Amino acid sequence: MPPKVSELARALAAAGFEECGGKGSHRNFKHAKGIRITLSGKPGSDARPYQEKAVRQAIEQVSE
């Protein structure tokens, strides 16, 4: 079962990303190291594989 969009947002927040607004169902996150990522979809929706991959890569970049 794929994770929910809200779970990906929590993972980003735990990695130090801050939510900086968005429009509609899009939420933008940024990190102090300059990395930005946008998540789309309602919080209760299943996350798409490309979203999971993007979040994983963003978290790996800030943990280096």
Side-chain angles (χ1 to χ4, degrees):
M1 181 179 235
K4 301 293 182 187
V5 172
S6 61
E7 293 173 20
L8 296 182
R10 277 196 300 270
L12 287 170
F17 283 83
E18 292 183 15
E19 188 170 350
C20 56
K23 192 171 187 178
S25 65
H26 289 73
R27 285 173 302 288
N28 299 307
F29 293 86
K30 67 179 179 179
H31 194 273
K33 290 186 175 182
I35 297 168
R36 296 177 168 270
I37 185 169
T38 300
L39 280 181
S40 62
K42 295 180 181 177
S45 300
D46 289 341
R48 301 283 186 189
Y50 74 89
Q51 292 174 313
E52 291 180 65
K53 183 178 179 181
V55 167
R56 190 173 342 119
Q57 288 176 341
I59 291 173
E60 287 174 1
Q61 285 180 339
V62 298
S63 64
E64 291 177 349

Short mmCIF file of all heavy atoms in Angstrom, two decimals:
data_model
loop_
_atom_site.label_atom_id
_atom_site.label_comp_id
_atom_site.label_asym_id
_atom_site.label_seq_id
_atom_site.Cartn_x
_atom_site.Cartn_y
_atom_site.Cartn_z
N MET A 1 0.85 -1.17 0.00
CA MET A 1 0.00 0.00 0.00
C MET A 1 0.90 1.24 0.00
O MET A 1 1.80 1.37 0.83
CB MET A 1 -0.90 -0.02 1.24
CG MET A 1 -1.83 1.13 1.33
SD MET A 1 -2.85 1.00 2.80
CE MET A 1 -4.42 1.10 2.06
N PRO A 2 0.67 2.16 -0.94
CA PRO A 2 1.53 3.35 -1.00
C PRO A 2 1.28 4.28 0.17
O PRO A 2 0.19 4.31 0.74
CB PRO A 2 1.11 4.01 -2.32
CG PRO A 2 -0.24 3.49 -2.60
CD PRO A 2 -0.32 2.13 -1.99
N PRO A 3 2.29 5.06 0.55
CA PRO A 3 2.10 6.02 1.64
C PRO A 3 1.17 7.15 1.20
O PRO A 3 0.98 7.39 0.01
CB PRO A 3 3.51 6.54 1.91
CG PRO A 3 4.23 6.34 0.64
CD PRO A 3 3.64 5.11 0.02
N LYS A 4 0.62 7.84 2.16
CA LYS A 4 -0.24 8.99 1.88
C LYS A 4 0.63 10.23 1.68
O LYS A 4 1.78 10.29 2.13
CB LYS A 4 -1.21 9.22 3.04
CG LYS A 4 -2.11 8.05 3.34
CD LYS A 4 -3.08 7.80 2.21
CE LYS A 4 -4.02 6.66 2.53
NZ LYS A 4 -4.85 6.29 1.41
N VAL A 5 0.09 11.22 1.01
CA VAL A 5 0.80 12.47 0.78
C VAL A 5 1.17 13.11 2.12
O VAL A 5 2.26 13.66 2.28
CB VAL A 5 -0.04 13.42 -0.09
CG1 VAL A 5 0.58 14.79 -0.19
CG2 VAL A 5 -0.22 12.83 -1.49
N SER A 6 0.28 12.99 3.11
CA SER A 6 0.56 13.57 4.43
C SER A 6 1.76 12.89 5.09
O SER A 6 2.52 13.54 5.82
CB SER A 6 -0.66 13.46 5.33
OG SER A 6 -1.02 12.11 5.53
N GLU A 7 1.96 11.60 4.84
CA GLU A 7 3.12 10.90 5.40
C GLU A 7 4.41 11.42 4.78
O GLU A 7 5.43 11.56 5.48
CB GLU A 7 2.98 9.40 5.18
CG GLU A 7 1.85 8.76 5.94
CD GLU A 7 1.63 7.31 5.57
OE1 GLU A 7 2.55 6.67 5.02
OE2 GLU A 7 0.53 6.81 5.84
N LEU A 8 4.39 11.72 3.49
CA LEU A 8 5.58 12.28 2.84
C LEU A 8 5.87 13.67 3.41
O LEU A 8 7.04 14.01 3.64
CB LEU A 8 5.38 12.35 1.33
CG LEU A 8 5.22 11.03 0.59
CD1 LEU A 8 5.07 11.28 -0.91
CD2 LEU A 8 6.38 10.10 0.86
N ALA A 9 4.83 14.46 3.65
CA ALA A 9 5.02 15.79 4.22
C ALA A 9 5.62 15.70 5.62
O ALA A 9 6.51 16.48 5.98
CB ALA A 9 3.70 16.55 4.26
N ARG A 10 5.17 14.73 6.42
CA ARG A 10 5.74 14.54 7.76
C ARG A 10 7.20 14.13 7.68
O ARG A 10 8.02 14.55 8.49
CB ARG A 10 4.93 13.50 8.53
CG ARG A 10 3.71 14.06 9.19
CD ARG A 10 3.15 13.12 10.25
NE ARG A 10 2.77 11.81 9.72
CZ ARG A 10 1.57 11.52 9.23
NH1 ARG A 10 0.63 12.43 9.21
NH2 ARG A 10 1.32 10.31 8.79
N ALA A 11 7.55 13.28 6.71
CA ALA A 11 8.94 12.84 6.55
C ALA A 11 9.82 14.04 6.19
O ALA A 11 10.95 14.16 6.69
CB ALA A 11 9.04 11.76 5.48
N LEU A 12 9.32 14.92 5.34
CA LEU A 12 10.09 16.12 4.98
C LEU A 12 10.28 17.02 6.20
O LEU A 12 11.38 17.54 6.43
CB LEU A 12 9.39 16.89 3.86
CG LEU A 12 9.46 16.26 2.47
CD1 LEU A 12 8.52 16.98 1.51
CD2 LEU A 12 10.88 16.28 1.94
N ALA A 13 9.23 17.20 6.98
CA ALA A 13 9.32 18.05 8.17
C ALA A 13 10.31 17.46 9.17
O ALA A 13 11.09 18.19 9.79
CB ALA A 13 7.95 18.20 8.81
N ALA A 14 10.32 16.14 9.31
CA ALA A 14 11.25 15.49 10.22
C ALA A 14 12.70 15.64 9.76
O ALA A 14 13.62 15.63 10.58
CB ALA A 14 10.90 14.01 10.36
N ALA A 15 12.90 15.81 8.45
CA ALA A 15 14.25 15.97 7.90
C ALA A 15 14.70 17.43 7.92
O ALA A 15 15.80 17.74 7.47
CB ALA A 15 14.30 15.43 6.48
N GLY A 16 13.85 18.33 8.43
CA GLY A 16 14.26 19.73 8.55
C GLY A 16 13.69 20.65 7.49
O GLY A 16 14.07 21.81 7.42
N PHE A 17 12.80 20.16 6.65
CA PHE A 17 12.18 21.00 5.64
C PHE A 17 11.07 21.82 6.29
O PHE A 17 10.39 21.35 7.19
CB PHE A 17 11.58 20.15 4.51
CG PHE A 17 12.60 19.61 3.55
CD1 PHE A 17 13.30 18.44 3.85
CD2 PHE A 17 12.86 20.24 2.36
CE1 PHE A 17 14.23 17.93 2.97
CE2 PHE A 17 13.79 19.74 1.47
CZ PHE A 17 14.48 18.59 1.77
N GLU A 18 10.88 23.03 5.80
CA GLU A 18 9.81 23.90 6.28
C GLU A 18 8.80 24.09 5.16
O GLU A 18 9.17 24.32 4.02
CB GLU A 18 10.35 25.27 6.68
CG GLU A 18 11.25 25.24 7.89
CD GLU A 18 11.71 26.63 8.27
OE1 GLU A 18 11.13 27.62 7.80
OE2 GLU A 18 12.68 26.71 9.05
N GLU A 19 7.52 24.02 5.52
CA GLU A 19 6.48 24.26 4.52
C GLU A 19 6.37 25.75 4.30
O GLU A 19 6.30 26.53 5.25
CB GLU A 19 5.15 23.69 5.00
CG GLU A 19 4.09 23.74 3.94
CD GLU A 19 2.83 22.98 4.30
OE1 GLU A 19 2.84 22.23 5.30
OE2 GLU A 19 1.85 23.14 3.58
N CYS A 20 6.41 26.16 3.05
CA CYS A 20 6.38 27.60 2.75
C CYS A 20 5.24 27.93 1.79
O CYS A 20 5.42 28.64 0.80
CB CYS A 20 7.72 28.08 2.23
SG CYS A 20 8.33 27.19 0.80
N GLY A 21 4.08 27.39 2.08
CA GLY A 21 2.89 27.75 1.31
C GLY A 21 2.70 26.91 0.07
O GLY A 21 3.36 25.90 -0.14
N GLY A 22 1.79 27.35 -0.74
CA GLY A 22 1.45 26.65 -1.97
C GLY A 22 0.12 27.16 -2.47
O GLY A 22 -0.51 28.03 -1.86
N LYS A 23 -0.32 26.60 -3.55
CA LYS A 23 -1.56 27.05 -4.15
C LYS A 23 -2.40 25.83 -4.49
O LYS A 23 -1.91 24.90 -5.13
CB LYS A 23 -1.25 27.86 -5.41
CG LYS A 23 -2.40 28.61 -5.97
CD LYS A 23 -1.94 29.53 -7.07
CE LYS A 23 -3.09 30.42 -7.50
NZ LYS A 23 -2.65 31.36 -8.53
N GLY A 24 -3.62 25.81 -4.04
CA GLY A 24 -4.49 24.67 -4.30
C GLY A 24 -4.01 23.46 -3.52
O GLY A 24 -3.79 23.53 -2.32
N SER A 25 -3.82 22.36 -4.21
CA SER A 25 -3.39 21.13 -3.54
C SER A 25 -1.87 20.99 -3.52
O SER A 25 -1.36 19.94 -3.17
CB SER A 25 -4.00 19.92 -4.25
OG SER A 25 -3.50 19.82 -5.57
N HIS A 26 -1.15 22.03 -3.91
CA HIS A 26 0.32 21.98 -3.93
C HIS A 26 0.89 22.61 -2.67
O HIS A 26 0.42 23.65 -2.22
CB HIS A 26 0.86 22.72 -5.15
CG HIS A 26 0.59 22.02 -6.44
ND1 HIS A 26 -0.67 21.96 -6.99
CD2 HIS A 26 1.40 21.33 -7.26
CE1 HIS A 26 -0.60 21.27 -8.11
NE2 HIS A 26 0.63 20.87 -8.29
N ARG A 27 1.90 21.96 -2.11
CA ARG A 27 2.60 22.47 -0.94
C ARG A 27 4.09 22.50 -1.25
O ARG A 27 4.66 21.51 -1.71
CB ARG A 27 2.31 21.61 0.28
CG ARG A 27 0.92 21.85 0.81
CD ARG A 27 0.53 20.90 1.91
NE ARG A 27 0.57 19.49 1.53
CZ ARG A 27 -0.28 18.90 0.71
NH1 ARG A 27 -1.23 19.58 0.15
NH2 ARG A 27 -0.19 17.62 0.44
N ASN A 28 4.71 23.63 -0.98
CA ASN A 28 6.14 23.80 -1.23
C ASN A 28 6.91 23.65 0.07
O ASN A 28 6.50 24.17 1.11
CB ASN A 28 6.40 25.19 -1.82
CG ASN A 28 5.68 25.37 -3.14
OD1 ASN A 28 5.82 24.56 -4.03
ND2 ASN A 28 4.90 26.43 -3.25
N PHE A 29 8.04 22.97 -0.02
CA PHE A 29 8.91 22.79 1.13
C PHE A 29 10.30 23.26 0.75
O PHE A 29 10.73 23.09 -0.39
CB PHE A 29 8.98 21.30 1.52
CG PHE A 29 7.69 20.75 2.04
CD1 PHE A 29 6.72 20.27 1.19
CD2 PHE A 29 7.43 20.72 3.41
CE1 PHE A 29 5.52 19.77 1.66
CE2 PHE A 29 6.23 20.22 3.90
CZ PHE A 29 5.28 19.73 3.02
N LYS A 30 10.99 23.86 1.72
CA LYS A 30 12.38 24.27 1.48
C LYS A 30 13.21 23.91 2.70
O LYS A 30 12.71 23.81 3.82
CB LYS A 30 12.48 25.75 1.16
CG LYS A 30 12.13 26.67 2.29
CD LYS A 30 12.30 28.11 1.89
CE LYS A 30 11.92 29.02 3.03
NZ LYS A 30 12.08 30.43 2.69
N HIS A 31 14.50 23.72 2.45
CA HIS A 31 15.44 23.38 3.51
C HIS A 31 16.49 24.48 3.57
O HIS A 31 16.74 25.19 2.59
CB HIS A 31 16.10 22.03 3.19
CG HIS A 31 16.83 21.45 4.35
ND1 HIS A 31 18.14 21.75 4.63
CD2 HIS A 31 16.42 20.58 5.31
CE1 HIS A 31 18.52 21.10 5.71
NE2 HIS A 31 17.49 20.38 6.15
N ALA A 32 17.12 24.61 4.72
CA ALA A 32 18.14 25.64 4.91
C ALA A 32 19.31 25.47 3.94
O ALA A 32 20.00 26.44 3.62
CB ALA A 32 18.64 25.62 6.35
N LYS A 33 19.53 24.26 3.44
CA LYS A 33 20.61 24.01 2.49
C LYS A 33 20.24 24.43 1.06
O LYS A 33 21.03 24.26 0.15
CB LYS A 33 20.99 22.54 2.49
CG LYS A 33 21.69 22.10 3.76
CD LYS A 33 22.18 20.68 3.66
CE LYS A 33 22.97 20.27 4.88
NZ LYS A 33 23.48 18.91 4.77
N GLY A 34 19.04 24.97 0.88
CA GLY A 34 18.64 25.48 -0.42
C GLY A 34 17.87 24.50 -1.28
O GLY A 34 17.59 24.78 -2.44
N ILE A 35 17.52 23.36 -0.76
CA ILE A 35 16.80 22.36 -1.53
C ILE A 35 15.31 22.63 -1.41
O ILE A 35 14.79 22.87 -0.32
CB ILE A 35 17.16 20.94 -1.05
CG1 ILE A 35 18.64 20.71 -1.30
CG2 ILE A 35 16.31 19.89 -1.74
CD1 ILE A 35 19.21 19.51 -0.64
N ARG A 36 14.62 22.59 -2.54
CA ARG A 36 13.18 22.83 -2.59
C ARG A 36 12.48 21.63 -3.21
O ARG A 36 13.02 20.97 -4.09
CB ARG A 36 12.86 24.06 -3.43
CG ARG A 36 13.41 25.32 -2.86
CD ARG A 36 13.11 26.51 -3.80
NE ARG A 36 13.39 27.75 -3.14
CZ ARG A 36 12.49 28.43 -2.42
NH1 ARG A 36 11.27 27.97 -2.30
NH2 ARG A 36 12.81 29.55 -1.83
N ILE A 37 11.26 21.38 -2.76
CA ILE A 37 10.45 20.30 -3.31
C ILE A 37 8.98 20.69 -3.19
O ILE A 37 8.59 21.38 -2.24
CB ILE A 37 10.74 18.96 -2.59
CG1 ILE A 37 9.99 17.82 -3.28
CG2 ILE A 37 10.44 19.03 -1.12
CD1 ILE A 37 10.42 16.44 -2.82
N THR A 38 8.19 20.28 -4.17
CA THR A 38 6.76 20.55 -4.17
C THR A 38 6.02 19.23 -4.14
O THR A 38 6.31 18.32 -4.92
CB THR A 38 6.35 21.34 -5.44
OG1 THR A 38 7.05 22.57 -5.45
CG2 THR A 38 4.86 21.60 -5.46
N LEU A 39 5.06 19.13 -3.23
CA LEU A 39 4.18 17.96 -3.16
C LEU A 39 2.80 18.39 -3.62
O LEU A 39 2.30 19.43 -3.22
CB LEU A 39 4.07 17.45 -1.72
CG LEU A 39 5.18 16.59 -1.19
CD1 LEU A 39 4.86 16.17 0.24
CD2 LEU A 39 5.39 15.37 -2.04
N SER A 40 2.19 17.56 -4.45
CA SER A 40 0.83 17.85 -4.90
C SER A 40 -0.10 16.74 -4.44
O SER A 40 0.33 15.61 -4.21
CB SER A 40 0.78 17.97 -6.42
OG SER A 40 1.17 16.75 -7.01
N GLY A 41 -1.36 17.08 -4.29
CA GLY A 41 -2.36 16.10 -3.89
C GLY A 41 -2.91 16.40 -2.52
O GLY A 41 -2.28 17.08 -1.70
N LYS A 42 -4.11 15.90 -2.28
CA LYS A 42 -4.73 16.07 -0.97
C LYS A 42 -3.99 15.23 0.05
O LYS A 42 -3.45 14.17 -0.29
CB LYS A 42 -6.20 15.65 -1.03
CG LYS A 42 -7.03 16.52 -1.94
CD LYS A 42 -8.46 16.06 -1.96
CE LYS A 42 -9.27 16.94 -2.90
NZ LYS A 42 -10.66 16.48 -2.99
N PRO A 43 -3.94 15.65 1.31
CA PRO A 43 -3.19 14.91 2.32
C PRO A 43 -3.60 13.44 2.47
O PRO A 43 -2.77 12.59 2.74
CB PRO A 43 -3.47 15.68 3.61
CG PRO A 43 -3.79 17.06 3.16
CD PRO A 43 -4.48 16.90 1.84
N GLY A 44 -4.85 13.12 2.24
CA GLY A 44 -5.31 11.74 2.39
C GLY A 44 -5.15 10.89 1.14
O GLY A 44 -5.45 9.70 1.15
N SER A 45 -4.66 11.48 0.05
CA SER A 45 -4.49 10.75 -1.20
C SER A 45 -3.24 9.87 -1.15
O SER A 45 -2.27 10.19 -0.46
CB SER A 45 -4.36 11.71 -2.38
OG SER A 45 -5.50 12.51 -2.49
N ASP A 46 -3.27 8.79 -1.92
CA ASP A 46 -2.08 7.95 -2.05
C ASP A 46 -1.02 8.71 -2.82
O ASP A 46 -1.31 9.38 -3.82
CB ASP A 46 -2.41 6.65 -2.80
CG ASP A 46 -3.26 5.70 -1.98
OD1 ASP A 46 -3.31 5.85 -0.74
OD2 ASP A 46 -3.89 4.81 -2.58
N ALA A 47 0.22 8.60 -2.35
CA ALA A 47 1.33 9.26 -3.04
C ALA A 47 1.70 8.47 -4.29
O ALA A 47 1.61 7.24 -4.32
CB ALA A 47 2.53 9.36 -2.11
N ARG A 48 2.11 9.16 -5.31
CA ARG A 48 2.55 8.53 -6.55
C ARG A 48 4.01 8.09 -6.39
O ARG A 48 4.76 8.67 -5.61
CB ARG A 48 2.45 9.53 -7.70
CG ARG A 48 1.07 10.06 -7.93
CD ARG A 48 0.25 9.03 -8.61
NE ARG A 48 -1.05 9.58 -8.97
CZ ARG A 48 -2.02 8.85 -9.43
NH1 ARG A 48 -1.85 7.55 -9.60
NH2 ARG A 48 -3.17 9.39 -9.73
N PRO A 49 4.42 7.08 -7.15
CA PRO A 49 5.81 6.62 -7.04
C PRO A 49 6.84 7.72 -7.29
O PRO A 49 7.88 7.77 -6.62
CB PRO A 49 5.91 5.53 -8.11
CG PRO A 49 4.51 5.01 -8.23
CD PRO A 49 3.62 6.21 -8.02
N TYR A 50 6.57 8.63 -8.24
CA TYR A 50 7.53 9.70 -8.50
C TYR A 50 7.64 10.65 -7.31
O TYR A 50 8.70 11.23 -7.07
CB TYR A 50 7.19 10.46 -9.78
CG TYR A 50 6.00 11.39 -9.68
CD1 TYR A 50 6.17 12.71 -9.27
CD2 TYR A 50 4.72 10.97 -9.99
CE1 TYR A 50 5.10 13.57 -9.18
CE2 TYR A 50 3.64 11.82 -9.90
CZ TYR A 50 3.83 13.11 -9.50
OH TYR A 50 2.76 13.97 -9.41
N GLN A 51 6.55 10.81 -6.55
CA GLN A 51 6.60 11.66 -5.37
C GLN A 51 7.45 11.02 -4.28
O GLN A 51 8.24 11.69 -3.62
CB GLN A 51 5.20 11.94 -4.84
CG GLN A 51 4.37 12.81 -5.75
CD GLN A 51 2.95 12.94 -5.28
OE1 GLN A 51 2.31 11.95 -4.93
NE2 GLN A 51 2.45 14.16 -5.28
N GLU A 52 7.27 9.72 -4.08
CA GLU A 52 8.07 8.99 -3.09
C GLU A 52 9.55 9.12 -3.42
O GLU A 52 10.38 9.38 -2.55
CB GLU A 52 7.69 7.52 -3.06
CG GLU A 52 6.32 7.24 -2.52
CD GLU A 52 6.03 5.76 -2.54
OE1 GLU A 52 6.71 5.02 -1.81
OE2 GLU A 52 5.14 5.35 -3.31
N LYS A 53 9.89 8.94 -4.70
CA LYS A 53 11.28 9.00 -5.14
C LYS A 53 11.85 10.41 -4.93
O LYS A 53 12.97 10.56 -4.43
CB LYS A 53 11.37 8.61 -6.61
CG LYS A 53 12.77 8.59 -7.15
CD LYS A 53 12.78 8.16 -8.61
CE LYS A 53 14.18 8.17 -9.16
NZ LYS A 53 14.21 7.79 -10.59
N ALA A 54 11.08 11.43 -5.26
CA ALA A 54 11.55 12.81 -5.11
C ALA A 54 11.79 13.15 -3.65
O ALA A 54 12.80 13.79 -3.30
CB ALA A 54 10.55 13.78 -5.72
N VAL A 55 10.90 12.72 -2.77
CA VAL A 55 11.06 12.98 -1.34
C VAL A 55 12.28 12.25 -0.80
O VAL A 55 13.08 12.80 -0.06
CB VAL A 55 9.77 12.59 -0.56
CG1 VAL A 55 10.02 12.56 0.93
CG2 VAL A 55 8.65 13.55 -0.90
N ARG A 56 12.45 10.99 -1.20
CA ARG A 56 13.61 10.21 -0.76
C ARG A 56 14.91 10.88 -1.19
O ARG A 56 15.86 11.00 -0.41
CB ARG A 56 13.51 8.79 -1.33
CG ARG A 56 14.50 7.82 -0.76
CD ARG A 56 14.27 6.39 -1.23
NE ARG A 56 12.94 6.19 -1.78
CZ ARG A 56 12.68 5.80 -3.03
NH1 ARG A 56 13.63 5.56 -3.86
NH2 ARG A 56 11.43 5.64 -3.46
N GLN A 57 14.96 11.35 -2.44
CA GLN A 57 16.17 12.00 -2.95
C GLN A 57 16.43 13.31 -2.22
O GLN A 57 17.58 13.64 -1.91
CB GLN A 57 16.06 12.25 -4.44
CG GLN A 57 16.15 10.99 -5.27
CD GLN A 57 15.93 11.23 -6.75
OE1 GLN A 57 15.37 12.26 -7.15
NE2 GLN A 57 16.35 10.29 -7.56
N ALA A 58 15.39 14.08 -1.94
CA ALA A 58 15.56 15.37 -1.25
C ALA A 58 16.09 15.13 0.17
O ALA A 58 16.99 15.85 0.63
CB ALA A 58 14.24 16.12 -1.20
N ILE A 59 15.57 14.12 0.85
CA ILE A 59 16.04 13.82 2.21
C ILE A 59 17.47 13.34 2.18
O ILE A 59 18.27 13.71 3.04
CB ILE A 59 15.08 12.81 2.88
CG1 ILE A 59 13.73 13.46 3.15
CG2 ILE A 59 15.69 12.27 4.18
CD1 ILE A 59 12.66 12.52 3.64
N GLU A 60 17.84 12.55 1.18
CA GLU A 60 19.23 12.08 1.05
C GLU A 60 20.16 13.25 0.81
O GLU A 60 21.28 13.29 1.33
CB GLU A 60 19.35 11.06 -0.09
CG GLU A 60 18.76 9.72 0.23
CD GLU A 60 18.75 8.77 -0.95
OE1 GLU A 60 19.23 9.15 -2.04
OE2 GLU A 60 18.25 7.65 -0.78
N GLN A 61 19.74 14.24 0.01
CA GLN A 61 20.59 15.40 -0.28
C GLN A 61 20.88 16.22 0.97
O GLN A 61 22.00 16.71 1.13
CB GLN A 61 19.93 16.30 -1.33
CG GLN A 61 19.99 15.75 -2.71
CD GLN A 61 19.31 16.68 -3.73
OE1 GLN A 61 18.49 17.51 -3.35
NE2 GLN A 61 19.67 16.53 -4.98
N VAL A 62 19.92 16.38 1.85
CA VAL A 62 20.15 17.19 3.04
C VAL A 62 20.91 16.42 4.11
O VAL A 62 21.50 17.03 5.01
CB VAL A 62 18.85 17.77 3.64
CG1 VAL A 62 18.18 18.69 2.65
CG2 VAL A 62 17.92 16.69 4.12
N SER A 63 20.91 15.09 4.03
CA SER A 63 21.61 14.31 5.04
C SER A 63 23.08 14.08 4.68
O SER A 63 23.81 13.48 5.45
CB SER A 63 20.90 12.98 5.27
OG SER A 63 20.94 12.19 4.10
N GLU A 64 23.50 14.53 3.52
CA GLU A 64 24.90 14.36 3.10
C GLU A 64 25.81 15.32 3.83
O GLU A 64 25.48 16.36 4.25
CB GLU A 64 25.04 14.59 1.59
CG GLU A 64 24.38 13.50 0.79
CD GLU A 64 24.45 13.79 -0.70
OE1 GLU A 64 24.83 14.90 -1.12
OE2 GLU A 64 24.12 12.88 -1.46
#
